[in-house]
Each structure stands twice: as C-alpha cells, then as structure tokens.
Amino acid sequence: MAVAGSNPERSVFQDWMTAITRRRIRSIRLITQLIMFVLVNGVIIGLSRVPFPAPISFPAGSPFGTVWGGLDAIQFILTRGQFPFLVFGLFFLTGATVGKLFCGWACPVGLWQDLLAIFPLKKTKISKPDNKAFQDISGFILWFVVGWSAWIGFQRIDRGNLEENFFTSIPYGFIDPAGTLFITLWYAFTWKILPGENSFDAIDSMGTMFLWKMGALLVIMFISMKVPRAYCRWVCPTGALLGYMSKNSILTVKRDPLKCTDGCKACEDACPMGVPITDEDPDGIANSLCINCGNCIDACPEAMSFGFRL
Ligand code: SF4
Ligand code: SF4
Ligand code: SF4
C-alpha cells in the first residue's frame, strides 16, 4: 500500500521510509517509549529494582517494575505519617526543567493511550474551553488523594497500626489504570501467583474489587479511543502534579510567527493533548497540557521547534 501523494514508480518501501521520515520525531518517540517500557518493567529481563520514584504513572509493587511511580510513593509516604519532600521536589524539578517530557516519552500509561488512539473508532472533537475545563478534574483528584493520604497518616500516628488495604496505603490504586494493567492483570491472567489454584480462582479471590478495577479500566480505554490521551488530559493526578511547573519549563516548544502565515492549524490537529497551539505564546507554549511530544513539530517543521526558555 502506498502512502498518499506517492509516485507510482517508487517502491512501497520508499513510500514507507518517506512517511517515517516525515514523522521523524514521532518515530523516535515511539522507539523511546518502547525502550522505556522494557526498562520500567525491567525485572523481566533481569534488571534490579531501584527504590526510586519516577515522574510517571506506574504502580508501586508491580512484580516486574524497576521503579515506583512518583504518585504511589507520595501516597505511601504520606499514609505512613511522613512528608514526601524528596518526591515533591523531584516532580517540581522535573516539571521546571523538561516539563512533561516523561509523559510524552517514557510513561507506560502514556504509551498505552497512544496505542489506543490508533484504534479505528471515530474520534470525538472536544472544544478548547471544554478541554481546559475538564483538566480541573485531575487537579481535584490529585489534592483529594494527597489530603486523604495525609489524613490516614495522622490516623496511623494517632492510633498506631491501621489495617493495610488500598485506602490506607495507596488510595488512588482503587481506580488507577496503571495498577490494573501492571499488577492486577499481570497477576490474574499471566503469572497466576495470586492465592488460588489457577487464574480464575485468583480473580475470584479479588471479588468485586477486580470487577470495579476492570470496569474503570474499560471506561478509560473507551474514552481514550474516542479522545486521544483523554486520561492524561483530564484524569491523571501524576500529570496534574507535573503540570504545575511544566507551564514555565526550560524545555519548551516554540512557533515562529514569521513562518506561520496561513493559520492552517495542522499543528493543533496533530496534538494529542488538544493544546491550542496558535493561541499560545510563540516564544514557548505555556500550557500544562503540553507533553513535549513533538507531534506539532512533525506536522509543521518550518514553523515549530523545540527550544529553551530561560
Ligand atoms: S499524564 Fe499520567 S498517564 Fe499520562 S503520560 Fe503523564 S503520567 Fe502517564
Ligand atoms: S501548522 Fe504551521 S503554519 Fe499551520 S498554524 Fe500551525 S504553525 Fe502555523
Ligand atoms: S503542543 Fe506540540 S509538543 Fe505539546 S503536546 Fe501538543 S503536539 Fe505535543
């Protein structure tokens, strides 16, 4: 199959190579995402666990995880009655320097959503004001989870040991798709190491919690097929926390107004996060949705580029 606008005398291979080089950043990013996926789940290939929080959505306690997702680390430390200075510092430092680069290039849940977006389901167009308004949901979830975790921490200090479950250790695990993908499903379907004789017994032992988590995962999957990266845009508290500093990050995306003359908005059409690129400051996108993915640069390399904001 030849790509649109191809010369009939060119080989299919040449056409595909042209298509790939036109999507240069997107291709490099996909390869990077796949490598990061393997590294983050690196216990499978014999890597050691590093007890370090990463600014990505990834569950603590994944059987094959090499790192902890930062939000899980925040929740766990708060529910022990301590304050996670190091993890908050890591998030603020990351957001202030490279913005949400980890969202675009490293987060396994981000990769999962990029793959879901390929699914041939008619996409729903979301207006700019709605996209901005729905974003507040992720901030609300973030501070609710932080507040709840801190309250559990006070209870633990006050009353001594509390029963260990989702709500007293990592409350967001209740709906977190990362936990469902990288712990629940892996345990239940693949490795069969939950209590019980087989995977179906393992699922049964989780009861309604399994059904709830699967229901939440399916809803998120469906919405992410209709709206690219819907979970990242509106729900993910990890992205919300990174977003507070990423608006003014040093690494940014710039638009040359002298070369952006026709207002075609091809850059906006290519943006998976619905950033209103042409309304942004040309000297650097100051929008907490931007994940520095570079899709807009692929769409318009003449006018768009990565750059630094000092
Ligand atoms: S917003 Fe959340 S799920 Fe999306 S890429 Fe960032 S950390 Fe991952
Ligand atoms: S695609 Fe390029 S020319 Fe078109 S609006 Fe975006 S920056 Fe301007
Ligand atoms: S503005 Fe550009 S770099 Fe930022 S998320 Fe959209 S396409 Fe990616």
Side-chain angles (χ1 to χ4, degrees):
M1 187 182 74
V3 294
S6 61
N7 180 338
E9 292 179 6
R10 286 160 55 90
S11 70
V12 172
F13 177 73
Q14 283 174 311
D15 282 344
W16 275 110
M17 286 311 292
T18 306
I20 288 169
T21 48
R22 277 191 196 140
R23 293 175 174 78
R24 206 173 32 160
I25 298 176
R26 200 179 291 196
S27 306
I28 297 169
R29 187 163 69 88
L30 178 60
I31 293 167
T32 310
Q33 286 173 299
L34 292 171
I35 292 171
M36 290 307 297
F37 182 90
V38 173
L39 291 180
V40 165
N41 292 286
V43 173
I44 293 176
I45 56 167
L47 296 182
S48 305
R49 294 181 200 279
V50 186
F52 195 77
I56 56 174
S57 179
F58 193 71
S62 162
F64 303 100
T66 48
V67 293
W68 275 39
L71 186 77
D72 278 18
I74 288 174
Q75 294 171 82
F76 188 76
I77 295 169
L78 281 171
T79 57
R80 305 299 109 178
Q82 295 165 17
F83 190 81
F85 288 104
L86 176 71
V87 194
F88 273 119
L90 174 84
F91 268 84
F92 285 117
L93 191 63
T94 306
T97 50
V98 296
K100 291 166 88 171
L101 187 76
F102 281 82
C103 290
W105 295 71
C107 176
V109 180
L111 169 64
W112 174 65
Q113 284 184 87
D114 286 346
L115 298 177
L116 286 175
I118 299 171
F119 199 81
L121 204 63
K122 191 169 183 298
K123 304 297 177 224
T124 303
K125 188 96 180 152
I126 305 293
S127 71
K128 291 178 185 177
D130 284 349
N131 200 33
K132 189 167 166 29
F134 292 158
Q135 205 188 336
D136 292 342
I137 298 170
S138 59
F140 174 79
I141 293 174
L142 169 67
W143 294 115
F144 180 81
V145 165
V146 167
W148 178 280
S149 304
W151 183 73
I152 294 291
F154 283 125
Q155 296 290 313
R156 192 164 262 124
I157 291 170
D158 192 37
R159 288 206 255 144
N161 277 342
L162 293 177
E163 186 195 339
E164 291 288 350
N165 58 40
F166 271 128
F167 303 103
T168 59
S169 52
I170 299 185
Y172 187 62
F174 188 50
I175 58 165
D176 187 3
T180 312
L181 285 169
F182 295 106
I183 298 181
T184 313
L185 284 181
W186 263 0
Y187 272 157
F189 289 122
T190 314
W191 272 267
K192 307 178 183 177
I193 54 178
L194 273 184
E197 289 179 0
N198 58 47
S199 0
F200 293 104
D201 285 346
I203 292 168
D204 198 37
S205 74
M206 297 171 73
T208 48
M209 179 59 82
F210 180 80
L211 295 177
W212 165 262
K213 285 174 73 68
M214 284 308 298
L217 186 76
L218 289 175
V219 169
I220 292 168
M221 281 178 72
F222 179 71
I223 297 173
S224 297
M225 285 177 194
K226 296 287 287 175
V227 180
R229 287 225 179 201
Y231 176 76
C232 296
R233 295 186 194 199
W234 306 325
V235 185
C236 179
T238 306
L241 187 53
L242 278 172
Y244 289 115
M245 294 302 283
S246 72
K247 276 189 256 188
N248 299 303
S249 61
I250 294 173
L251 177 69
T252 187
V253 174
K254 301 189 175 213
R255 179 171 56 90
D256 184 343
L258 296 175
K259 294 177 181 161
C260 169
T261 49
D262 61 4
C264 65
K265 299 198 189 278
C267 51
E268 293 187 4
D269 292 341
C271 178
M273 298 294 285
V275 176
I277 298 169
T278 52
D279 301 339
E280 295 284 330
D281 182 354
D283 277 340
I285 288 176
N287 189 311
S288 56
L289 281 172
C290 179
I291 54 172
N292 282 331
C293 67
N295 282 15
C296 53
I297 303 172
D298 274 346
C300 184
E302 297 78 21
M304 304 293 301
S305 61
F306 281 121
F308 297 106
R309 171 171 46 197
L310 295 173

